[in-house]
Amino acid sequence: MSQKTKRILMAFFGVIFTGFCVGTFQKASLGTDPFTCFVTGIGNIFGSTYSTFYVVVTGVLLLGVLLVEKHYIGLATVINLFGTGISADLMRNLWDILIPDPNLGIRILLVLLGVLGSCFSASIYFTADLGVSAYDAVSLIAANKYKLMAFRLCRILSDLICVTVGIVFHANVGGGTIITALFMGPVIQWFNTHVSEPFLYGKNDSNSSDN
């Protein structure tokens, strides 16, 4: 399989699987991911809906990314824009069929699956290097372009800022939100080094780094 074909498959799989993980978080109902938390908080400031401010906030971030480092806008960005919501709804509906009324233990398990799956899928489409979501691009630009700190630390910082805004403006914050904010960056980096880069480049040619 050529490297180009691998990149396309990784971009598509990574984004769609991200949607599956969002649907899993929704079913768990133990807190949203940090960016959703942030958007909900901003929406609460203006008394508007999440869907409206998701478009606004994502649009502003996309504009910033285009001005600073348009390299991160690509195929995966488009797939993310149109595919994540659909795959999230499909996964949520599937969980509703399989587990109509989960107990707390099952909901905690779903959160852990959602966190681990989100890290894996993010690593897959980051490594494909065919574009990322506007929010994901923020940490990547901070780490790779401006060299502020390692990617895992940039991601933790951006997630914590989002969670803080969400808490201040009464968004739905739960255990899943905190776990995601603290652990996504390091776990994504682990998947980059041990799974995604070896798959794309080959075990002996992986160009993994500590960014």
Side-chain angles (χ1 to χ4, degrees):
M1 187 185 299
S2 70
Q3 196 173 102
K4 180 178 180 181
T5 301
K6 284 184 180 181
R7 289 182 185 276
I8 293 172
L9 290 176
M10 290 169 71
F12 182 82
F13 171 82
V15 171
I16 298 303
F17 197 74
T18 295
F20 291 161
C21 295
V22 171
T24 301
F25 272 121
Q26 291 173 340
K27 182 62 180 178
S29 297
L30 290 174
T32 60
D33 64 275
F35 185 60
T36 298
C37 181
F38 174 78
V39 173
T40 302
I42 297 298
N44 289 342
I45 296 174
F46 296 94
S48 187
T49 63
Y50 167 80
S51 58
T52 297
F53 268 84
Y54 179 84
V55 174
V56 173
V57 174
T58 301
V60 171
L61 288 177
L62 276 174
L63 180 59
V65 173
L66 283 170
L67 292 174
V68 175
E69 187 59 87
K70 64 181 180 181
H71 165 78
Y72 290 110
I73 305 299
L75 175 64
T77 311
V78 177
I79 299 173
N80 185 285
L81 188 61
F82 295 103
T84 301
I86 294 173
S87 56
D89 287 343
L90 288 173
M91 192 72 245
R92 174 62 188 270
N93 291 337
L94 179 59
W95 283 125
D96 285 342
I97 294 171
L98 296 175
I99 316 172
D101 188 22
N103 58 34
L104 180 60
I106 296 297
R107 290 166 63 199
I108 292 173
L109 179 60
L110 289 174
V111 166
L112 296 177
L113 287 173
V115 171
L116 192 63
S118 295
C119 294
F120 174 68
S121 59
S123 171
I124 290 291
Y125 86 86
F126 286 0
T127 304
D129 200 24
L130 293 176
V132 297
S133 72
Y135 177 64
D136 290 330
V138 172
S139 298
L140 289 168
I141 290 171
N144 298 333
K145 182 179 178 65
Y146 294 110
K147 310 294 183 182
L148 298 180
M149 59 185 76
F151 166 77
R152 60 182 179 274
L153 299 177
C154 290
R155 184 62 183 238
I156 289 173
L157 180 60
S158 64
D159 284 348
L160 287 176
I161 290 172
C162 286
V163 172
T164 300
V165 172
I167 291 173
V168 170
F169 296 106
H170 312 295
N172 178 22
V173 177
T177 311
I178 304 302
I179 291 171
T180 305
L182 293 176
F183 293 104
M184 270 199 82
V187 178
I188 288 172
Q189 184 62 54
W190 188 90
F191 277 122
N192 286 347
T193 302
H194 297 282
V195 180
S196 303
E197 290 170 355
F199 172 76
L200 180 60
Y201 301 110
K203 290 184 178 180
N204 295 326
D205 299 321
S206 173
N207 66 344
S208 57
S209 65
D210 193 38
N211 290 331

